Amino acid sequence: MKKISFLIFLFTSSILTYSQLLLEADGPGSTYELISSKLAPGYSAVENPECIHPEFGRHIAEVWDSTLSKYVFEFYIHVTPDNDRCKNFDRQRIEIKTYDQSPDSLLGVIGEAVIYKWKFKLDNGFQPSSSFTHIHQIKPVGGDDGNPIIALTPRKGSPNKMELTHNNKTKVRIIDLSQFLGNWVECTEIIYFHPTNGRYSMSIKNISDGNIILDYSNDNLMTIRPDNEFNRPKWGIYRSLNDSTNLRDEAVRFADFLIQEEKITDVDEQLESLPSSFSLDQNYPNPFNPSTIISYIIPSSIKGENSNVKLTVHNLLGKEIAVIVNEKQKPGKYKVKFDGSKLASGIYIYKLLTDGFIETKKMVLLK
């Protein structure tokens, strides 16, 4: 018997939705109170520059968006006089967050898996800093907490870019910023928090046409440092003033913040298998389309005339979302049609199981 590792993490035991929070704009007025009531009830979840710029008023408003046909949050930042809460003067921010006053279900600790989803829209004339302009961060608390674990950062360049950065230094994805400008996009971020064997994925799609414009996944990543107490999300505008002459006053729209904690029990991340007993056709299509053919082989080395065969599709948290085959089959090569028309574009895995053997493959579904 030997151990096999998966391209995308697969939990073999039950995964249940443990807690879910949805923050939606509900119309003008009491915006900070609404945000805090969701992210940190009884406390403040908004970091703002109003200590230096009170005459503008609150730097987050709820406005009607004609594209989404609903109220959304609009975040404002001004080149002058806004700064970082009168604490730092070389940078400025207007951000919302969870933190130590938030419910435990909104904080990511070692061994937990969390889904974050939200929408945002950058103006067509958006001007990022050449240093940093974070619009989303996964920040640690406690221990070595000076640098974000994950940052989504527009950056000035030739051309301007959108960067997905790990550990404040490794740019794991770099996309032309023009694909984001003037469009509502939806982000889906999934994190399994672990100091060495963490899992991470980020998918961003254009809401108007459904096209995936940024996609990244890694099943062997540091997603929390050993001395961190917890990780928490931040959204908004946090930018350097080192390049202030090239900045402008900005208004960035956000909508529909979702934080969903997954409860994982009895996780076994490595499954035992028999070597060379069950194989997949390596010519399988990738990316998948909504309807495609999966080929697999049951070799004659499988003991017995018939083998129990099960072919299933899972999301990135290991939840089984489709069963394609579940029957006894004789040795031979098989082809089966997978209908993904009801699944959202994104990353999935399929698992093939026969008597004494399991194998998995990653697939990207594009519509």
Side-chain angles (χ1 to χ4, degrees), residues 53-65:
H53 196 190
E55 61 272 19
F56 177 77
R58 291 181 164 186
H59 283 65
I60 305 176
E62 294 171 82
V63 301
W64 181 260
D65 186 86

Side-chain angles (χ1 to χ4, degrees), residues 2 4-6 10 12 268 270-274 277-280 310 312 314 350-361:
K2 69 175 182 178
I4 59 172
S5 59
F6 298 151
L10 175 64
T12 62
D268 180 7
Q270 291 182 314
L271 301 179
E272 292 186 345
S273 65
L274 295 174
S277 296
F278 191 18
S279 64
L280 302 176
K310 189 174 183 180
T312 54
H314 301 253
Y350 67 82
K351 180 174 75 171
L352 289 102
L353 168 68
T354 188
D355 294 335
F357 191 90
I358 297 173
E359 189 165 349
T360 64
K361 290 291 180 183

Side-chain angles (χ1 to χ4, degrees), residues 39-291:
L39 300 182
Y43 298 89
S44 175
V46 181
E47 296 179 330
N48 62 69
E50 285 143 35
C51 63
I52 194 69
H53 196 190
E55 61 272 19
F56 177 77
R58 291 181 164 186
H59 283 65
I60 305 176
E62 294 171 82
V63 301
W64 181 260
D65 186 86
S66 58
T67 300
L68 297 184
S69 298
K70 64 185 299 182
Y71 283 101
V72 302
F73 298 103
E74 191 161 67
F75 289 56
Y76 307 107
I77 201 74
H78 309 91
V79 179
T80 57
D82 293 351
N83 59 32
D84 181 11
R85 301 161 295 166
C86 296
K87 296 180 179 179
N88 298 296
F89 303 92
D90 63 341
R91 65 196 68 184
Q92 54 189 193
R93 80 170 80 212
I94 172 68
E95 289 186 304
I96 64 175
K97 64 180 181 180
T98 65
Y99 64 119
D100 57 1
Q101 302 298 337
S102 301
D104 288 345
S105 59
L106 303 184
L107 309 176
V109 299
I110 293 175
E112 286 184 342
V114 182
I115 300 173
Y116 304 101
K117 294 187 71 171
W118 70 97
K119 302 178 180 76
F120 74 88
K121 180 184 178 182
L122 303 179
D123 187 77
N124 275 313
F126 184 85
Q127 295 179 203
S129 168
S130 58
S131 295
F132 64 86
T133 307
H134 301 324
I135 58 174
H136 167 65
Q137 300 178 78
I138 298 295
K139 286 291 295 291
V141 171
D144 179 11
D145 59 7
N147 297 317
I149 302 293
I150 296 291
L152 187 63
T153 307
R155 192 179 303 277
K156 180 184 175 182
S158 299
N160 295 337
K161 301 291 185 181
M162 177 71 80
E163 299 173 352
L164 182 65
T165 304
H166 173 249
N167 202 22
N168 206 37
K169 58 183 179 181
T170 304
K171 299 174 183 180
V172 296
R173 281 291 182 272
I174 302 176
I175 306 295
D176 195 312
L177 188 64
S178 63
Q179 297 188 62
F180 293 84
L181 300 183
N183 300 313
W184 274 103
V185 300
E186 182 177 52
C187 304
T188 301
E189 183 177 46
I190 304 175
I191 310 177
Y192 173 65
F193 292 106
H194 195 277
T196 56
N197 297 318
R199 281 83 167 173
Y200 180 84
S201 72
M202 168 71 87
S203 177
I204 304 180
K205 71 175 181 180
N206 187 313
I207 291 177
S208 64
D209 58 20
N211 287 334
I212 302 295
I213 55 179
L214 186 151
D215 180 54
Y216 173 75
S217 65
N218 191 319
D219 68 344
N220 187 24
L221 197 68
M222 182 277 291
T223 51
I224 188 171
R225 300 183 183 102
D227 57 354
N228 296 150
E229 297 174 21
F230 59 85
N231 278 354
R232 41 67 179 274
K234 303 187 80 174
W235 293 278
I237 311 168
Y238 177 41
R239 67 183 182 181
S240 169
L241 290 174
N242 293 336
D243 190 27
S244 61
T245 57
N246 291 308
L247 299 179
R248 65 171 203 166
D249 296 348
E250 297 288 358
V252 177
R253 293 189 173 187
F254 289 86
D256 306 335
F257 299 99
L258 173 74
I259 302 175
Q260 182 172 307
E261 182 180 285
E262 301 292 328
K263 189 69 173 180
I264 306 166
T265 59
D266 302 325
V267 177
D268 180 7
E269 299 168 26
Q270 291 182 314
L271 301 179
E272 292 186 345
S273 65
L274 295 174
S276 304
S277 296
F278 191 18
S279 64
L280 302 176
D281 187 340
Q282 295 303 306
N283 295 319
Y284 67 93
N286 198 2
F288 274 44
N289 54 46
S291 183

